[in-house]
Amino acid sequence: MERMDSANRLLRDGAIYIIVCCCFLFTKAAVAALWISEKEHGDIVYLLQQSPNVIKRYSLPDQQFLSDVTLSEVANTFAIDDSGLYVAFANRIDRLDLDGQNQTTLYTANPAAVIGNLLLIDNYLVAFGDGGAGLSLNKNTGEYISNGSGIGGSCYYSNSASISTTQRRAFVLTSCTTPSSLNFVDIASDGQLGTIASAENINGSGTSRSFVFPNGDRVLLSNGNVMLTKDAVYQRNIGQVAASAEFWQDKIFALNGSTVTAYSNAFVYDGSHTFTVAPEYIKIYNDSLYVFYEAAGVATVTFLPLSSFVLTDPNVPINPVGLAFEPDKIVWNPQDNVIYLLSNLYQSVFQWNIDTQNYVENIPLPFIANDMVF
């Protein structure tokens, strides 16, 4: 009970601060006209709408919409896994079955709080909003576990958060600063949140979404910036914004306006396609790109074979010739007179032969490396 009171006190204090200082008002990201958040689970896409209050469901294998999940009131955000739907209604988090049945209240914060981001990892639910620095709960019982210490969180963009389950690190974007900043917090195996910190040396202008790469080692921001998840250090920009992003065979598919552009694992242009509509969400399934958009107030889907893009072979190692990169570690092999250049951005070890003055075959890495020795 004492820990629950502590959590609500932090949330309550955050709400009081909002009343006193309007510059810390909770800020939502620019939302789509029809839905405000999208998730995919079990080959079904879930779209959260606020008018009407429903979660629409689209079956990718069947290529058709299923029955809606009807919500009792306006929802801000949601998360999903095998155990069900976790939906935030203002200051309250409810759990529902995947088909919307058996709605039960899991956690209630101070009435002034607004929860705008929900993430799941193992048996834990992590929430961010305008009433504190983030908190973690037991997803099965709703038991409060901890609040993140450090940076306060009274102005997080809603539906901006993402999580690397391999690095056990959550990312969320805040509008407390101009330009936006990227906050991150580690989640221990017992659900305890660490100190919330802010990534340095990034230009967060135009950033309100974040997308973690499938292996969890990198994160793409909606302004095109790519960061390493292990240290939240800026690596490069892909050259365009990403209102929605999808990953396939180490490639990035980024939505900007009505155009989806593909980038190789070396962040090189790999083709694009411009639609006659303005998509709001993209998803890849069975070698096709599914595009979700609004047509006359109705959620609509079309799809495009990935063969429409001119995609490079993902199994071909990245060619470092002419590639601009800063090595994370440099090691010399005196036996072969070869310099090894570790690049976590490109997940490769490039080899430079000193005698022949050229690159030899590089070594692809399945994950980013912490160190390299010879």
Side-chain angles (χ1 to χ4, degrees):
M1 181 62 70
E2 180 181 349
R3 290 191 300 175
M4 182 70 78
D5 289 341
S6 174
N8 282 331
R9 186 164 58 250
L10 282 169
L11 290 167
R12 182 167 60 251
D13 290 343
I16 291 172
Y17 195 69
I18 293 170
I19 295 171
V20 174
C21 179
C22 63
C23 63
F24 276 80
L25 287 172
F26 175 72
T27 305
K28 285 189 176 182
V31 298
L34 197 59
W35 61 84
I36 64 168
S37 183
E38 319 91 357
K39 299 286 193 306
E40 185 272 333
H41 180 73
D43 296 337
I44 296 176
V45 171
Y46 296 76
L47 308 171
L48 173 61
Q49 293 187 198
Q50 290 186 326
S51 180
N53 300 322
V54 299
I55 297 178
K56 301 196 74 65
R57 301 184 301 154
Y58 180 85
S59 170
L60 293 168
D62 299 328
Q63 297 182 351
Q64 66 179 14
F65 280 97
L66 308 176
S67 59
D68 292 346
V69 173
T70 301
L71 303 176
S72 57
E73 57 194 281
V74 174
N76 300 324
T77 189
F78 75 107
I80 185 171
D81 66 6
D82 288 340
S83 64
L85 286 160
Y86 298 81
V87 184
F89 302 95
N91 68 319
R92 192 182 82 247
I93 301 172
D94 286 5
R95 183 175 61 218
L96 302 82
D97 293 343
L98 292 176
D99 60 1
Q101 301 300 308
N102 300 316
Q103 181 172 348
T104 57
T105 295
L106 193 66
Y107 176 83
T108 302
N110 183 277
V114 179
I115 299 169
N117 291 275
L118 291 177
L119 299 169
L120 286 161
I121 181 170
D122 301 333
N123 289 319
Y124 309 112
L125 185 66
V126 180
F128 296 95
D130 73 339
L135 59 84
S136 59
L137 309 169
N138 183 304
K139 74 173 186 180
N140 300 309
T141 65
E143 178 188 4
Y144 164 76
I145 297 175
S146 77
N147 267 82
S149 60
I151 298 173
S154 57
C155 47
Y156 288 125
Y157 279 116
S158 64
N159 298 300
S160 70
S162 59
I163 190 167
S164 169
T165 55
T166 57
Q167 298 287 335
R168 303 193 68 88
R169 175 167 285 184
F171 296 89
V172 63
L173 287 149
T174 173
S175 60
C176 291
T177 60
T178 302
S180 307
S181 63
L182 179 69
N183 288 358
F184 59 92
V185 62
D186 293 333
I187 306 149
S189 58
D190 62 357
Q192 293 283 332
L193 298 184
T195 299
I196 295 181
S198 181
E200 298 179 358
N201 300 322
I202 72 163
N203 177 6
S205 179
T207 304
S208 59
R209 300 289 297 273
S210 61
F211 313 92
V212 171
F213 283 58
N215 66 5
D217 284 345
R218 291 167 289 181
V219 58
L220 170 69
L221 305 185
S222 54
N223 67 350
N225 286 347
V226 177
M227 325 278 292
L228 295 184
T229 55
K230 71 168 187 173
D231 51 17
V233 172
Y234 169 83
Q235 295 293 300
R236 64 163 297 151
N237 189 284
I238 64 172
Q240 71 162 67
V241 301
S244 180
E246 179 68 317
F247 303 93
W248 180 80
Q249 293 188 351
D250 249 3
K251 300 178 185 296
I252 300 172
F253 289 76
L255 169 64
N256 181 12
S258 58
T259 300
V260 176
T261 303
Y263 295 90
S264 72
N265 55 358
F267 302 99
V268 175
Y269 175 83
D270 225 4
S272 64
H273 184 87
T274 299
F275 295 87
T276 57
V277 296
E280 297 169 2
Y281 176 66
I282 58 175
K283 185 67 190 175
I284 291 177
Y285 177 78
N286 273 1
D287 296 342
S288 289
L289 177 72
Y290 285 74
V291 174
F292 293 75
Y293 62 98
E294 177 188 354
V298 177
T300 308
V301 185
T302 188
F303 61 92
L304 179 75
L306 291 181
S307 57
S308 300
F309 295 84
V310 183
L311 301 175
T312 55
D313 186 348
N315 297 313
V316 175
I318 296 174
N319 183 0
V321 176
L323 195 66
F325 70 99
E326 182 176 342
D328 296 286
K329 187 71 178 288
I330 300 175
V331 174
W332 176 47
N333 174 359
Q335 298 174 359
D336 299 325
N337 210 19
V338 168
I339 296 175
Y340 298 113
L341 304 150
L342 170 64
S343 172
N344 277 324
L345 173 63
Y346 297 106
Q347 291 189 193
S348 298
V349 176
F350 300 123
Q351 302 183 76
W352 176 260
N353 188 298
I354 297 175
D355 295 330
T356 60
Q357 289 291 291
N358 68 321
Y359 284 106
V360 295
E361 185 177 2
N362 70 348
I363 305 171
L365 302 175
F367 302 101
I368 62 174
N370 292 323
D371 199 2
M372 179 177 68
V373 295
F374 176 77

